[in-house]
Amino acid sequence: MSAPHLPKVAGIDPEVPVSTQTAAPLREIPAAPGAFIQDRLAGWVSDLTTLHELTERLAATATLDAALNELLHAGAALVGARRGLLVLERAGTTTPSTTLGLGLGPADLGHLETVERSATALGRVLDGPPDAADARDGIATPDLLGDQDLDPRHREVATRLGYAASYALPLASEAAGRLGGAVWFYDEPGEPSEKQRHLVGLYARYATEHLARLTELERARADIATVAEELLPSRLPRIPGVQLAARHRTGPQGGGDWYDALPLPDHALGLAVGSVGGSGPSAMAAMGRLRASLRAYAVMEGEDPVAVLSDLELLLRLTEPARTATALFAYCEPAARKVVLAGAGHTPPLVLGDRRCEYVETTLSAPLGMLACWEAPSVEFSPAPGETVLLYTDGLLRRTGDAMDRAFARLHSAAASVPKADRHDPAAVTDHVLRAMLPDGLDRSDSTEDVVVLAAHFD
């Protein structure tokens, strides 16, 4: 008699033996799929935060040199390198190329320049077609010394400087074109990861746009400074009995501060300083017209400084009624050591000598262009032998950042502290005063004020 059959159930074969072994218990709970995504998102947020911080630091740079240094340091941090080299050379311009090293001294840069340009990754990035893949993604050389095709001179320099790998990246964008390239060096064989390449590529494209803006800005500033210098005296006259020196710096936007020194009949000398309101090309053009007019009036009636400034006031009111200006004109007779001056809203001169350092007391008057008829009494004084008369514009005071009363006191202290050995040299006097007043120098890019200092030393 056969054994009874188990009933059949759809999808289950009752003849298949059932295993008597149980599965091993779970020792670890598998991570939920969302944890992996969270890790990836956290990594992206960290990378974007780093990139944002680096671009903010780059955007805060106001000069080309500062931006290039920031770019080299940030790029090294992104690709994990310690040293680097950057070359800026804009195609189609006569501007000389700029080379900057990170962790490389002048001698190291000199060794690198002896390698043929086409034999280096940086050279291929700089000279290759703009649409080539290398020009977009950069060139990684993970093992320089292991490369059998490496240029012998390049191998020698790499061995001397102690780098074994490099990563070169172009500084290019669609709007700015290609401005140059950068290369970072590794002490050991290696190359940046795909993520590192992506981040440094994003950073480099942003940096290229920033460098292009700064390059154009510096070129514009250089053009403005050139025009400003051309509007001022190309050289100072030589008059017996007096020595002259002048210092002038134009703000980044161009301003209207000016000075003049012109020989007059009978061995006399005319000295003038002034400032036109506003900034930019318009103020510079007005400054040129005002200075030219004052020269003409000084030749005709320079013995009377009040008449000179009165004529200048009338001209300004008739031809440029919306503009104001300050001016100071001094008629000097060096042989007699006699100075007659008049000022229109301008800062008073300062007299420096072995026995005194004081401001000349001038009559308080309004700037040119503010009154229907300008006229103020002139002032006459006699500088002693060996004394220096210092004329200047208020930009010197404003650049200090102090209140005007404190700035005047600071100028007096700076002039009084000129060493006695330098007081007979007007150039040394002006330089000492400028160093004392502006420790950061005249070329500070964040200041919009012009500065004019004119010194006349009487023998």
Side-chain angles (χ1 to χ4, degrees), residues 243-268:
Q243 303 176 50
L244 301 175
R247 298 292 183 268
H248 172 257
R249 287 296 182 277
T250 302
Q253 297 178 354
D257 285 16
W258 55 277
Y259 70 94
D260 207 348
L262 65 156
L264 297 175
D266 300 326
H267 303 289

Side-chain angles (χ1 to χ4, degrees), residues 85 99 104-115 153 157 161:
L85 174 66
T99 302
L104 300 170
D108 300 332
L109 296 177
H111 287 307
L112 288 169
E113 288 177 354
T114 63
V115 181
R153 179 57 186 166
V157 171
L161 300 185

Side-chain angles (χ1 to χ4, degrees), residues 115-128 134-135 138-141 144 150 154 163 165-170 181-185:
V115 181
E116 187 177 353
R117 181 160 164 155
S118 60
T120 65
L122 179 59
R124 294 196 294 274
V125 161
L126 291 171
D127 299 334
D134 290 344
I139 301 176
T141 311
L144 277 167
L150 188 66
H154 193 183
Y163 64 87
S166 67
Y167 177 67
L169 187 69
V183 60
W184 291 276
F185 301 112

Side-chain angles (χ1 to χ4, degrees), residues 186-448:
Y186 298 88
D187 297 339
E188 301 292 338
E191 61 181 309
S193 64
E194 182 178 354
K195 182 179 74 171
Q196 289 175 319
R197 291 192 188 196
H198 178 67
L199 291 176
V200 76
L202 292 174
Y203 180 81
R205 284 191 288 275
Y206 174 82
T208 300
E209 299 290 346
H210 186 61
L211 293 178
R213 290 190 294 269
L214 289 178
T215 301
E216 293 299 326
L217 182 60
E218 292 208 352
R219 184 179 293 112
R221 287 175 178 172
D223 292 342
I224 288 174
T226 300
V227 172
E229 292 298 328
E230 291 297 326
L231 291 174
L232 296 175
S234 57
R235 62 183 181 87
L236 296 173
R238 294 184 178 181
I239 304 295
V242 65
Q243 303 176 50
L244 301 175
R247 298 292 183 268
H248 172 257
R249 287 296 182 277
T250 302
Q253 297 178 354
D257 285 16
W258 55 277
Y259 70 94
D260 207 348
L262 65 156
L264 297 175
D266 300 326
H267 303 289
L269 173 68
L271 299 177
V273 290
S275 177
V276 174
S279 62
S282 175
M284 293 173 61
M287 174 262 285
R289 293 191 293 268
L290 202 68
R291 172 178 170 262
S293 301
L294 185 140
R295 289 175 69 90
Y297 298 144
V299 170
M300 292 186 295
E301 45 193 355
E303 295 183 12
D304 186 356
V306 173
V308 172
L309 294 186
S310 296
D311 292 342
L312 202 62
E313 156 73 20
L314 179 61
L315 177 71
L316 189 68
R317 182 158 44 88
L318 293 176
T319 59
E320 302 184 58
R323 193 177 296 278
T324 60
T326 66
L328 185 146
F329 178 72
Y331 178 80
C332 309
E333 296 180 10
R337 288 193 298 278
K338 172 185 173 183
V339 178
V340 181
L341 64 86
H346 203 80
T347 51
L350 189 146
V351 180
L352 167 66
D354 292 336
R355 297 186 177 182
R356 65 170 171 169
C357 178
E358 60 187 24
Y359 289 103
V360 178
E361 293 187 6
T362 57
T363 304
L364 183 66
S365 61
L368 302 175
M370 294 189 67
L371 299 178
C373 181
W374 180 91
E375 187 168 332
S378 60
V379 175
E380 180 178 333
F381 69 98
S382 297
E387 290 189 332
T388 299
V389 179
L390 206 66
L391 285 70
Y392 53 94
T393 59
D394 60 358
L396 175 64
L397 305 176
R398 296 184 187 280
R399 273 210 187 187
T400 63
D402 296 333
M404 292 303 287
D405 56 343
R406 294 187 61 186
F408 274 114
R410 187 171 175 177
L411 175 58
H412 184 277
S413 176
S417 65
V418 175
K420 288 189 177 182
D422 294 337
R423 293 188 177 183
H424 298 278
D425 181 0
V429 171
T430 55
D431 290 339
H432 178 89
V433 168
L434 288 173
R435 284 194 302 269
M437 293 287 288
L438 309 173
D440 295 335
L442 276 174
D443 297 322
R444 236 181 57 192
S445 61
D446 59 342
S447 177
T448 60

